Amino acid sequence: MESLPENLLLDILSLVPARDLICNCRLVCSQWRDLVDLPVLWKRKFRKRDHDSSPKPLAFYIFSRLKKNLIKNPDGQDGLDSWEIQTPAKGHWETEELSIEDSKSVSEMLSPYKMSNFGRNVEDAPVQLYCFAARNGPCSKSQLITLKDEGYWDELMDEARPTIEVKDCFSSGYDSCYILTVKLLSADSEVLKEHQYEEPRVSTWFPVSRTIYDYPQGVRHILFEHKRHMEGCHPNFHKYIFPEQGPSEDGEPSWRRMRVLQSSITLHPPPKAVEDGYYIPSMRPFLQA
């Protein structure tokens, strides 16, 4: 078996019942584990539907084991790459490196929410964090996610309809409003469901977590957008209250920036699968099936 090419091994594994794949084959060696976790194998299993492979446990395994953040470059370490930028008037986006003190405080605040890489212990969190900063006026940035390109094929989305979890972290400043918009789109870009969250004038880091479910069939794309909208707060009022917060290097007071980091969209098992007893904390769903 060790000398067989991987494509032939995949063909053989696709004939094995799903329960045996997870509870036995996946434990043989690291190569088999990696093969069992490939989306292409579960795509075959989902379509084939052998006698012990109903859609619910199959979908549970796929979304439990293969979940990933669908947002590219969520915290600005690669500049503005992967983001579509809209900057009307003088507003613009920049990336910045947080101080070590700010990075630690953000990590401690985010760790209970298990956002992206922050599901670990606080002491294991990265020391240095990056963020996006919106300055000098209203602006927005977005990403369009094509689910098929991420390994979530059409039939899987329509039959399983996984839970879509959206997370973000922001500080909007005293004269602006943070707006998060998530649109579930069809193949021809029709909006099938839309969620919008707004929060004005937040001076400290604030986590956002929203779950989207019970949406119609036909979702093929997800549009994620966060926006800085200017509020009618008079700047001299804040200067009077917080005189120590002077201008930054670009001349804009620090309290006027909107900053965001650790945006994420992840797909999780559908609620019905959890209700039917397929949820197991150890991520071994077929033990009770």
Side-chain angles (χ1 to χ4, degrees):
M1 292 287 284
E2 294 180 359
S3 61
L4 291 177
E6 285 194 352
N7 62 332
L8 186 54
L9 267 176
L10 271 176
D11 290 337
I12 296 173
L13 290 173
S14 68
L15 302 175
V16 178
R19 183 190 299 271
D20 291 330
L21 274 178
I22 298 169
C23 297
N24 297 315
C25 296
R26 196 176 181 276
L27 306 179
V28 170
C29 63
S30 60
Q31 181 193 20
W32 282 36
R33 179 199 63 206
D34 293 341
L35 289 175
V36 168
D37 283 351
L38 284 176
V40 64
L41 174 61
W42 291 97
K43 188 173 183 178
R44 295 183 193 180
K45 298 296 292 178
F46 192 88
R47 288 177 172 170
K48 184 169 177 275
R49 306 281 174 84
D50 48 52
H51 68 280
D52 73 339
S53 301
S54 66
K56 283 182 289 188
L58 273 177
F60 179 90
Y61 182 79
I62 292 166
F63 291 112
S64 293
R65 296 297 309 185
L66 308 181
K67 66 183 178 182
K68 57 183 176 180
N69 185 5
L70 302 183
I71 296 289
K72 306 295 190 298
N73 187 23
D75 53 12
Q77 292 193 50
D78 296 325
L80 296 174
D81 289 354
S82 303
W83 292 93
E84 181 72 24
I85 308 297
Q86 295 84 36
T87 54
K90 296 181 180 180
H92 67 277
W93 287 94
E94 295 179 0
T95 60
E96 64 180 49
E97 188 176 31
L98 298 183
S99 67
I100 294 179
E101 291 75 15
D102 282 348
S103 296
K104 287 181 178 178
S105 63
V106 170
S107 298
E108 290 172 1
M109 184 268 294
L110 288 180
S111 58
Y113 295 89
K114 299 182 184 243
M115 296 180 70
S116 187
N117 294 327
F118 292 106
R120 301 168 292 178
N121 293 329
V122 171
E123 59 268 20
D124 296 328
V127 174
Q128 204 82 50
L129 299 179
Y130 295 80
C131 72
F132 297 96
R135 300 181 179 180
N136 298 327
C139 52
S140 64
K141 62 187 180 69
S142 61
Q143 280 194 34
L144 180 65
I145 299 162
T146 299
L147 293 167
K148 186 181 293 186
D149 293 346
E150 301 297 332
Y152 302 105
W153 61 95
D154 296 351
E155 185 184 15
L156 178 66
M157 291 300 300
D158 288 346
E159 292 200 32
R161 272 184 276 181
T163 296
I164 300 172
E165 189 172 73
V166 181
K167 294 185 178 180
D168 211 4
C169 186
F170 76 96
S171 172
S172 66
Y174 275 89
D175 67 339
S176 60
C177 178
Y178 163 91
I179 301 176
L180 171 66
T181 303
V182 179
K183 296 180 181 180
L184 308 186
L185 308 177
S186 66
D188 57 0
S189 299
E190 175 189 359
V191 179
L192 301 178
K193 189 162 187 174
E194 179 175 347
H195 173 83
Q196 188 172 93
Y197 172 84
E198 297 185 16
E199 191 73 48
R201 296 182 292 277
V202 176
S203 61
T204 57
W205 289 103
F206 188 82
V208 176
S209 180
R210 292 294 182 270
T211 300
I212 303 174
Y213 57 92
D214 195 24
Y215 50 84
Q217 291 184 340
V219 173
R220 301 293 179 260
H221 310 277
I222 302 176
L223 179 64
F224 176 98
E225 178 188 61
H226 38 211
K227 180 186 301 184
R228 180 195 191 189
H229 174 69
M230 302 304 293
E231 289 283 303
C233 177
H234 197 281
N236 291 328
F237 177 73
H238 188 274
K239 288 180 181 178
Y240 177 77
I241 301 176
F242 299 101
E244 72 282 359
Q245 296 187 7
S248 60
E249 294 180 0
D250 65 354
E252 182 178 25
S254 60
W255 50 267
R256 295 189 64 181
R257 305 177 197 164
M258 187 184 89
R259 298 186 294 174
V260 294
L261 55 69
Q262 288 301 306
S263 307
S264 72
I265 292 181
T266 50
L267 304 187
H268 298 266
K272 185 64 177 173
V274 176
E275 292 171 8
D276 287 349
Y278 294 108
Y279 176 74
I280 301 174
S282 64
M283 294 298 189
R284 298 185 64 184
F286 283 93
L287 296 184
Q288 290 183 354

